[in-house]
Amino acid sequence: MTDLPQQRFLIGEAAKFLGVSIDTLRRWERDQKVAAQRSDGGTRLFEIWELNRVKSLLFQKKSIVREGADGYQAVREFNQLLPRLQRSVIR
């Protein structure tokens, strides 16, 4: 079996893919809400599966808001969901 190539994105590309600012993505990495690899030179590299995971969470958050939950409730539900998903990625 051959290994599939890993698709990685620089921070600007990753931020654009997620629809957030570069500063937001840096903050999320610092807060361990998103995982990034580092190149030998220290450049952040985000793998496509990680970006898809975060994009899915963002979609879920927006769906909660669209369904009529108030903003505070949506944030609470999103923040409760996030640690579980982070633990599953870390393992």
Side-chain angles (χ1 to χ4, degrees):
M1 177 190 335
T2 59
D3 290 327
L4 296 174
Q6 293 184 2
Q7 191 172 4
R8 294 182 178 163
F9 295 89
L10 297 172
I11 193 165
E13 299 166 325
K16 186 174 182 177
F17 177 81
L18 294 174
V20 299
S21 71
I22 291 172
D23 288 337
T24 295
L25 198 48
R26 283 186 184 122
R27 185 174 57 253
W28 287 354
E29 183 202 11
R30 183 185 65 232
D31 296 343
Q32 299 180 341
K33 293 181 179 180
V34 63
Q37 306 296 316
R38 295 287 182 137
S39 71
D40 291 338
T43 302
R44 290 175 178 89
L45 300 170
F46 296 88
E47 295 189 25
I48 187 65
W49 62 267
E50 176 69 354
L51 296 178
N52 282 327
R53 181 188 70 82
V54 172
K55 194 167 200 166
S56 173
L57 289 171
L58 293 173
F59 177 77
Q60 290 175 25
K61 180 179 178 182
K62 289 177 185 174
S63 294
I64 291 169
V65 172
R66 269 188 256 124
E67 290 172 4
D70 66 57
Y72 291 112
Q73 179 65 27
V75 171
R76 277 193 303 271
E77 290 178 23
F78 179 73
N79 287 336
Q80 289 171 355
L81 178 65
L82 191 58
R84 278 188 308 181
L85 293 169
Q86 287 175 326
R87 284 191 300 270
S88 68
V89 170
I90 292 172
R91 289 183 188 165

